[in-house]
Amino acid sequence: MITLKDILYKVAIEVVKGSTEISINKIEFDSRKIVESDVFVAIRGTVSNGHDFIEKAISFGAKAIVCDELPSMIVSGITYIQVKDTNAALAFMATNFYDNPSSKLKLVGITGTNGKTTIASLLYQLFKKAGYKVGLLSTVKIMVNDTEYKATHTTPDSLTINYYLDEMAEIGCEYCFMEVSSHGVHQKRTEGLEFAGGVFTNLSHDHLDYHTTFAEYRDVKKSFFDHLPKSAFALTNIDDKNGLVMLQNTMAKKLTYALKSYAEYKAVILENQLGGLLLKINENEVWVRLIGTFNAYNLLAIYGTAVELGLEPLEVLRLLSTLESVSGRFQFIISTSKITAIVDYAHTPDALENVLKTIDDIRTKNEQLITVVGCGGDRDKTKRPIMANIATTMSDKVILTSDNPRSENPETIIAEMEAGVEPQNFKKSLSIVDRKQAIKTACQLANPNDIILIAGKGHETYQEIQGVRHDFDDMKIVKEFLEQLNK
């Protein structure tokens, strides 16, 4: 049986009341999950404060309480640990509870605004194809080698991360690729983890509802690299103006990748078409099935990471040529009436612009490009008019619609998007609140050879309205409507 003392290693403790020699069952930060002999960690969240549930946790059987402020009523027989930061404490305690699982494999974190899911998922795919046992912690799913689990956050909470890393270590996984979000870093979910490497993709307008300023958002990303050990590598996109910022204070081995600048890992796009990309990476040519400049950057990051982890460069190129696109990332179908429908997760101005540029590079201009796009509720409002402006400037027709409205009125979100449409583009756009109807209308407006882009939700199989998740799959819906049109 593990003791409380065993799991407090590296925790910044300020006050101890009671014994730390007590045996504990497990750690919880949700009071509803507490059972006899658990440790309850009181986290201050954005919606609720765990300190308000200390009494409830004790009534359910908690034997120890970890908090940043001691409660006014101290219960006899309960151990109280006052710490500087309960988020950091939870991370270190989880690491200790699971016997530091990240040290038993090579963990690589991928951070940046766009490309995290694609890079992490394709690295998982590549190393599996190379014959290794591999783990994946991503927005789309969690993989413990061949076993799939549902993901709920881009970067899970510290307990979940360490639980799955422990599962991976138990079955002999040698590598794990993990998306690292700015929320995850800010909330200390990655504290205590031992990273073998970190990858920076790019930085653009996102999460300013949470971080308030772009500088704060950038600095949170940078702090991930600041904490990498000397034994790790830090691989950054030097074509992004924030790329070198990430390397300023890191002790890790500094490496760069680029399409436009001099870098350790350099690529040139020789061909870019709907069938794929022909790339020249560090003097060797490779044909890949992925499309677009943004994917050239993703593949370059994957190549650099694989080589830094010890794979032979020519073998990495061979494996790159076999990789298949990630669900909801520039996923496309072509109907029998020759209408191309593309579903992409693009939910930031930069990602939307990248996808539209990619389509522009591969189209003939003799066809219409019809874009269906919305913005999420309870999230950064400042990007709404920008995204509508980008869509209406770069498309022939645009349907503004709902994304995940969450607790907001979808009509209000669409009105805020409409404010970004310039007068010359008014006639190009229409607004349809019902997303399914918006997709149906796009299909009805399309002629043979036209292209429909459905942006914003990608891999998601739900639409969240007023706290309820309804089944909703962009790809499934557009397929159905195109099949009906074919009939």
Side-chain angles (χ1 to χ4, degrees):
M1 197 71 166
I2 196 164
T3 69
L4 180 58
K5 188 180 178 180
D6 295 331
I7 63 169
L8 291 173
Y9 176 61
K10 287 191 176 179
V11 175
I13 298 170
E14 296 189 333
V15 177
V16 177
K17 286 187 179 289
S19 173
T20 59
E21 299 291 346
I22 58 169
S23 295
I24 58 126
N25 175 42
K26 59 180 169 54
I27 309 162
E28 287 292 354
F29 60 90
D30 184 341
S31 59
R32 295 167 295 185
K33 295 180 181 176
I34 293 285
V35 295
E36 191 64 35
S37 298
D38 282 355
V39 181
F40 176 63
V41 183
I43 301 290
R44 294 182 188 273
T46 50
V47 178
S48 61
N49 181 357
H51 291 73
D52 297 335
F53 301 96
I54 289 174
E55 280 185 45
K56 186 182 175 185
I58 292 169
S59 72
F60 284 177
K63 285 286 179 282
I65 302 295
V66 177
C67 50
D68 58 36
E69 184 183 344
L70 289 171
S72 53
M73 191 178 78
I74 301 294
V75 179
S76 176
I78 303 297
T79 302
Y80 294 85
I81 311 286
Q82 186 181 349
V83 298
K84 191 175 180 182
D85 181 335
T86 51
N87 281 301
L90 177 67
F92 285 118
M93 289 166 71
T95 298
N96 296 331
F97 185 82
Y98 288 105
D99 193 25
N100 197 9
S102 61
S103 68
K104 299 170 188 174
L105 41 73
K106 289 184 177 175
L107 175 64
V108 177
I110 299 100
T111 195
T113 306
N114 305 311
K116 297 187 294 294
T117 303
T118 298
I119 292 170
S121 301
L122 293 183
L123 276 165
Y124 166 83
Q125 210 184 106
L126 186 147
F127 275 76
K128 282 284 288 174
K129 286 172 182 279
Y132 295 97
K133 285 186 175 180
V134 194
L136 171 69
L137 293 164
S138 83
T139 306
V140 179
K141 59 189 173 185
I142 293 167
M143 296 296 299
V144 178
N145 201 33
D146 295 320
T147 308
E148 182 176 331
Y149 300 91
K150 199 174 179 182
T152 54
H153 293 80
T154 301
T155 306
D157 64 79
S158 315
L159 282 172
T160 304
I161 291 170
N162 282 282
Y163 169 81
Y164 284 114
L165 287 174
D166 185 50
E167 293 278 299
M168 292 170 198
E170 279 290 311
I171 64 158
C173 287
E174 294 180 59
Y175 302 93
C176 175
F177 302 103
M178 172 182 175
E179 289 187 54
V180 176
S181 69
S182 56
H183 289 67
V185 175
H186 189 254
Q187 293 168 12
K188 310 287 173 73
R189 295 181 216 160
T190 54
E191 290 280 325
L193 299 179
E194 291 186 24
F195 285 93
V199 179
F200 171 73
T201 62
N202 49 59
L203 208 62
S204 66
H205 195 121
D206 200 17
H207 300 307
L208 298 191
D209 55 320
Y210 181 86
H211 296 291
T212 68
T213 67
F214 188 82
E216 187 191 320
Y217 177 47
R218 178 200 64 213
D219 292 346
V220 168
K221 296 279 189 193
K222 178 182 176 294
S223 70
F224 168 67
F225 292 92
D226 293 348
H227 289 92
L228 287 177
K230 199 174 180 180
S231 57
F233 65 85
L235 176 63
T236 190
N237 173 7
I238 203 175
D239 284 345
D240 186 286
K241 62 179 182 289
N242 295 288
L244 282 178
V245 175
M246 300 298 144
L247 301 182
Q248 281 173 358
N249 303 106
T250 189
M251 293 188 297
K253 180 184 177 184
K254 298 176 181 181
L255 296 157
T256 58
Y257 67 96
L259 295 181
K260 301 172 187 170
S261 321
Y262 172 78
E264 279 87 359
Y265 295 103
K266 179 98 166 80
V268 177
I269 298 172
L270 302 177
E271 284 182 38
N272 182 11
Q273 51 189 263
L274 202 57
L277 285 166
L278 180 61
L279 297 174
K280 189 176 185 182
I281 299 179
N282 286 10
E283 304 309 312
N284 289 300
E285 289 185 17
V286 61
W287 175 263
V288 292
R289 299 177 195 178
L290 280 75
I291 305 155
T293 304
F294 64 98
N295 270 324
Y297 280 106
N298 293 337
L299 289 159
L300 198 48
I302 291 161
Y303 175 81
T305 300
V307 171
E308 291 304 317
L309 288 173
L311 269 61
E312 202 276 317
L314 288 176
E315 174 64 1
V316 176
L317 289 174
R318 184 189 71 77
L319 292 167
L320 282 182
S321 70
T322 68
L323 299 180
E324 293 171 6
S325 65
V326 179
S327 172
R329 270 49 177 192
F330 212 92
Q331 205 176 354
F332 69 91
I333 55 162
I334 301 171
S335 74
T336 51
S337 56
K338 298 287 186 285
I339 295 168
T340 301
I342 300 163
V343 169
D344 194 90
Y345 188 53
H347 62 287
T348 65
D350 186 52
L352 183 62
E353 189 173 349
N354 281 337
V355 171
L356 288 166
K357 272 183 185 169
T358 297
I359 294 168
D360 200 54
D361 288 343
I362 58 178
R363 63 185 286 209
T364 65
K365 311 295 188 293
N366 295 318
E367 68 289 278
Q368 288 189 106
L369 169 56
I370 304 164
T371 298
V372 178
V373 65
C375 287
D378 304 332
R379 297 292 186 270
D380 185 0
K381 294 184 179 188
T382 59
K383 68 183 181 185
R384 292 171 184 175
I386 301 168
M387 288 184 68
N389 179 263
I390 290 167
T392 50
T393 302
M394 299 179 73
S395 313
D396 299 301
K397 285 192 177 84
V398 174
I399 303 171
L400 302 177
T401 188
S402 301
D403 189 282
N404 290 316
R406 300 185 177 88
S407 71
E408 281 194 72
N409 182 339
E411 291 180 359
T412 305
I413 299 171
I414 292 169
E416 289 176 3
M417 292 184 76
E418 287 170 344
V421 180
E422 293 178 3
Q424 67 270 28
N425 294 325
F426 283 162
K427 286 185 179 178
K428 281 187 184 182
S429 72
L430 65 149
S431 300
I432 300 173
V433 174
D434 185 300
R435 190 175 179 92
K436 191 169 185 177
Q437 189 59 45
I439 295 170
K440 184 179 182 178
T441 303
C443 294
Q444 290 168 334
L445 290 171
N447 297 312
N449 300 314
D450 284 352
I451 300 168
I452 299 167
L453 169 65
I454 304 164
K457 286 174 58 57
H459 65 280
E460 292 177 354
T461 54
Y462 63 86
Q463 188 176 28
E464 191 176 327
I465 304 166
Q466 295 300 326
V468 179
R469 288 192 172 188
H470 305 267
D471 288 346
F472 201 100
D473 185 325
D474 282 351
M475 181 55 83
K476 197 174 169 185
I477 288 164
V478 76
K479 268 183 185 173
E480 285 171 10
F481 286 134
L482 288 176
E483 281 169 14
Q484 285 173 21
L485 287 174
N486 292 337
K487 287 171 187 171

PDB file of all heavy atoms in Angstrom, residues 368-383:
ATOM      1  N   GLN A 368     -16.521  26.575 -58.629  1.00  0.00           N
ATOM      2  CA  GLN A 368     -16.861  27.373 -57.451  1.00  0.00           C
ATOM      3  C   GLN A 368     -16.245  26.741 -56.203  1.00  0.00           C
ATOM      4  O   GLN A 368     -16.197  25.518 -56.091  1.00  0.00           O
ATOM      5  CB  GLN A 368     -18.377  27.354 -57.209  1.00  0.00           C
ATOM      6  CG  GLN A 368     -19.236  28.123 -58.142  1.00  0.00           C
ATOM      7  CD  GLN A 368     -20.656  28.140 -57.593  1.00  0.00           C
ATOM      8  OE1 GLN A 368     -21.116  29.152 -57.093  1.00  0.00           O
ATOM      9  NE2 GLN A 368     -21.353  27.005 -57.665  1.00  0.00           N
ATOM     10  N   LEU A 369     -15.839  27.586 -55.278  1.00  0.00           N
ATOM     11  CA  LEU A 369     -15.457  27.119 -53.947  1.00  0.00           C
ATOM     12  C   LEU A 369     -16.518  27.641 -52.980  1.00  0.00           C
ATOM     13  O   LEU A 369     -16.695  28.849 -52.817  1.00  0.00           O
ATOM     14  CB  LEU A 369     -14.070  27.643 -53.553  1.00  0.00           C
ATOM     15  CG  LEU A 369     -13.657  27.443 -52.084  1.00  0.00           C
ATOM     16  CD1 LEU A 369     -13.731  25.985 -51.670  1.00  0.00           C
ATOM     17  CD2 LEU A 369     -12.272  28.000 -51.835  1.00  0.00           C
ATOM     18  N   ILE A 370     -17.253  26.709 -52.366  1.00  0.00           N
ATOM     19  CA  ILE A 370     -18.326  27.053 -51.425  1.00  0.00           C
ATOM     20  C   ILE A 370     -17.874  26.665 -50.020  1.00  0.00           C
ATOM     21  O   ILE A 370     -17.590  25.490 -49.759  1.00  0.00           O
ATOM     22  CB  ILE A 370     -19.639  26.305 -51.787  1.00  0.00           C
ATOM     23  CG1 ILE A 370     -20.046  26.605 -53.241  1.00  0.00           C
ATOM     24  CG2 ILE A 370     -20.753  26.673 -50.816  1.00  0.00           C
ATOM     25  CD1 ILE A 370     -21.065  25.641 -53.804  1.00  0.00           C
ATOM     26  N   THR A 371     -17.794  27.638 -49.127  1.00  0.00           N
ATOM     27  CA  THR A 371     -17.313  27.385 -47.762  1.00  0.00           C
ATOM     28  C   THR A 371     -18.448  27.488 -46.744  1.00  0.00           C
ATOM     29  O   THR A 371     -19.204  28.454 -46.754  1.00  0.00           O
ATOM     30  CB  THR A 371     -16.194  28.377 -47.389  1.00  0.00           C
ATOM     31  OG1 THR A 371     -15.089  28.193 -48.283  1.00  0.00           O
ATOM     32  CG2 THR A 371     -15.710  28.167 -45.954  1.00  0.00           C
ATOM     33  N   VAL A 372     -18.534  26.461 -45.900  1.00  0.00           N
ATOM     34  CA  VAL A 372     -19.481  26.454 -44.780  1.00  0.00           C
ATOM     35  C   VAL A 372     -18.648  26.607 -43.513  1.00  0.00           C
ATOM     36  O   VAL A 372     -17.758  25.794 -43.246  1.00  0.00           O
ATOM     37  CB  VAL A 372     -20.287  25.126 -44.731  1.00  0.00           C
ATOM     38  CG1 VAL A 372     -21.232  25.118 -43.536  1.00  0.00           C
ATOM     39  CG2 VAL A 372     -21.045  24.907 -46.030  1.00  0.00           C
ATOM     40  N   VAL A 373     -18.911  27.660 -42.725  1.00  0.00           N
ATOM     41  CA  VAL A 373     -18.070  27.907 -41.558  1.00  0.00           C
ATOM     42  C   VAL A 373     -18.859  28.565 -40.424  1.00  0.00           C
ATOM     43  O   VAL A 373     -19.786  29.336 -40.664  1.00  0.00           O
ATOM     44  CB  VAL A 373     -16.833  28.778 -41.932  1.00  0.00           C
ATOM     45  CG1 VAL A 373     -17.256  30.171 -42.380  1.00  0.00           C
ATOM     46  CG2 VAL A 373     -15.822  28.853 -40.793  1.00  0.00           C
ATOM     47  N   GLY A 374     -18.483  28.227 -39.190  1.00  0.00           N
ATOM     48  CA  GLY A 374     -19.073  28.849 -38.005  1.00  0.00           C
ATOM     49  C   GLY A 374     -17.995  29.080 -36.973  1.00  0.00           C
ATOM     50  O   GLY A 374     -16.828  28.770 -37.209  1.00  0.00           O
ATOM     51  N   CYS A 375     -18.355  29.643 -35.832  1.00  0.00           N
ATOM     52  CA  CYS A 375     -17.416  29.841 -34.722  1.00  0.00           C
ATOM     53  C   CYS A 375     -18.046  29.305 -33.438  1.00  0.00           C
ATOM     54  O   CYS A 375     -19.259  29.424 -33.241  1.00  0.00           O
ATOM     55  CB  CYS A 375     -17.090  31.323 -34.543  1.00  0.00           C
ATOM     56  SG  CYS A 375     -16.020  31.984 -35.837  1.00  0.00           S
ATOM     57  N   GLY A 376     -17.225  28.734 -32.579  1.00  0.00           N
ATOM     58  CA  GLY A 376     -17.714  28.143 -31.337  1.00  0.00           C
ATOM     59  C   GLY A 376     -18.184  29.178 -30.333  1.00  0.00           C
ATOM     60  O   GLY A 376     -17.647  30.287 -30.267  1.00  0.00           O
ATOM     61  N   GLY A 377     -19.195  28.803 -29.549  1.00  0.00           N
ATOM     62  CA  GLY A 377     -19.687  29.666 -28.475  1.00  0.00           C
ATOM     63  C   GLY A 377     -18.828  29.549 -27.229  1.00  0.00           C
ATOM     64  O   GLY A 377     -18.074  28.586 -27.074  1.00  0.00           O
ATOM     65  N   ASP A 378     -18.892  30.534 -26.343  1.00  0.00           N
ATOM     66  CA  ASP A 378     -18.128  30.560 -25.084  1.00  0.00           C
ATOM     67  C   ASP A 378     -16.623  30.483 -25.322  1.00  0.00           C
ATOM     68  O   ASP A 378     -15.882  29.946 -24.500  1.00  0.00           O
ATOM     69  CB  ASP A 378     -18.552  29.408 -24.144  1.00  0.00           C
ATOM     70  CG  ASP A 378     -20.039  29.425 -23.849  1.00  0.00           C
ATOM     71  OD1 ASP A 378     -20.639  30.518 -23.884  1.00  0.00           O
ATOM     72  OD2 ASP A 378     -20.609  28.341 -23.594  1.00  0.00           O
ATOM     73  N   ARG A 379     -16.187  30.960 -26.463  1.00  0.00           N
ATOM     74  CA  ARG A 379     -14.769  30.964 -26.807  1.00  0.00           C
ATOM     75  C   ARG A 379     -14.402  32.345 -27.343  1.00  0.00           C
ATOM     76  O   ARG A 379     -15.249  33.217 -27.454  1.00  0.00           O
ATOM     77  CB  ARG A 379     -14.444  29.876 -27.860  1.00  0.00           C
ATOM     78  CG  ARG A 379     -14.697  28.434 -27.410  1.00  0.00           C
ATOM     79  CD  ARG A 379     -13.751  27.991 -26.319  1.00  0.00           C
ATOM     80  NE  ARG A 379     -13.904  26.578 -25.991  1.00  0.00           N
ATOM     81  CZ  ARG A 379     -14.724  26.095 -25.071  1.00  0.00           C
ATOM     82  NH1 ARG A 379     -15.516  26.914 -24.390  1.00  0.00           N
ATOM     83  NH2 ARG A 379     -14.770  24.806 -24.816  1.00  0.00           N
ATOM     84  N   ASP A 380     -13.166  32.534 -27.699  1.00  0.00           N
ATOM     85  CA  ASP A 380     -12.620  33.795 -28.197  1.00  0.00           C
ATOM     86  C   ASP A 380     -13.534  34.456 -29.240  1.00  0.00           C
ATOM     87  O   ASP A 380     -13.662  33.981 -30.365  1.00  0.00           O
ATOM     88  CB  ASP A 380     -11.234  33.500 -28.791  1.00  0.00           C
ATOM     89  CG  ASP A 380     -10.506  34.744 -29.247  1.00  0.00           C
ATOM     90  OD1 ASP A 380     -11.064  35.842 -29.109  1.00  0.00           O
ATOM     91  OD2 ASP A 380      -9.374  34.610 -29.737  1.00  0.00           O
ATOM     92  N   LYS A 381     -14.172  35.565 -28.854  1.00  0.00           N
ATOM     93  CA  LYS A 381     -15.109  36.255 -29.753  1.00  0.00           C
ATOM     94  C   LYS A 381     -14.407  37.099 -30.805  1.00  0.00           C
ATOM     95  O   LYS A 381     -14.970  37.388 -31.853  1.00  0.00           O
ATOM     96  CB  LYS A 381     -16.049  37.153 -28.927  1.00  0.00           C
ATOM     97  CG  LYS A 381     -16.987  36.394 -28.006  1.00  0.00           C
ATOM     98  CD  LYS A 381     -17.944  37.338 -27.297  1.00  0.00           C
ATOM     99  CE  LYS A 381     -18.894  36.545 -26.388  1.00  0.00           C
ATOM    100  NZ  LYS A 381     -19.952  37.407 -25.824  1.00  0.00           N
ATOM    101  N   THR A 382     -13.169  37.520 -30.522  1.00  0.00           N
ATOM    102  CA  THR A 382     -12.484  38.446 -31.426  1.00  0.00           C
ATOM    103  C   THR A 382     -12.167  37.826 -32.785  1.00  0.00           C
ATOM    104  O   THR A 382     -11.979  38.534 -33.768  1.00  0.00           O
ATOM    105  CB  THR A 382     -11.172  38.968 -30.791  1.00  0.00           C
ATOM    106  OG1 THR A 382     -10.313  37.866 -30.508  1.00  0.00           O
ATOM    107  CG2 THR A 382     -11.450  39.730 -29.508  1.00  0.00           C
ATOM    108  N   LYS A 383     -12.109  36.471 -32.831  1.00  0.00           N
ATOM    109  CA  LYS A 383     -11.762  35.844 -34.112  1.00  0.00           C
ATOM    110  C   LYS A 383     -12.967  35.693 -35.049  1.00  0.00           C
ATOM    111  O   LYS A 383     -12.801  35.370 -36.218  1.00  0.00           O
ATOM    112  CB  LYS A 383     -11.078  34.492 -33.893  1.00  0.00           C
ATOM    113  CG  LYS A 383     -11.942  33.397 -33.313  1.00  0.00           C
ATOM    114  CD  LYS A 383     -11.106  32.142 -33.080  1.00  0.00           C
ATOM    115  CE  LYS A 383     -11.938  31.006 -32.507  1.00  0.00           C
ATOM    116  NZ  LYS A 383     -11.114  29.837 -32.180  1.00  0.00           N
TER     117      LYS A 383
END
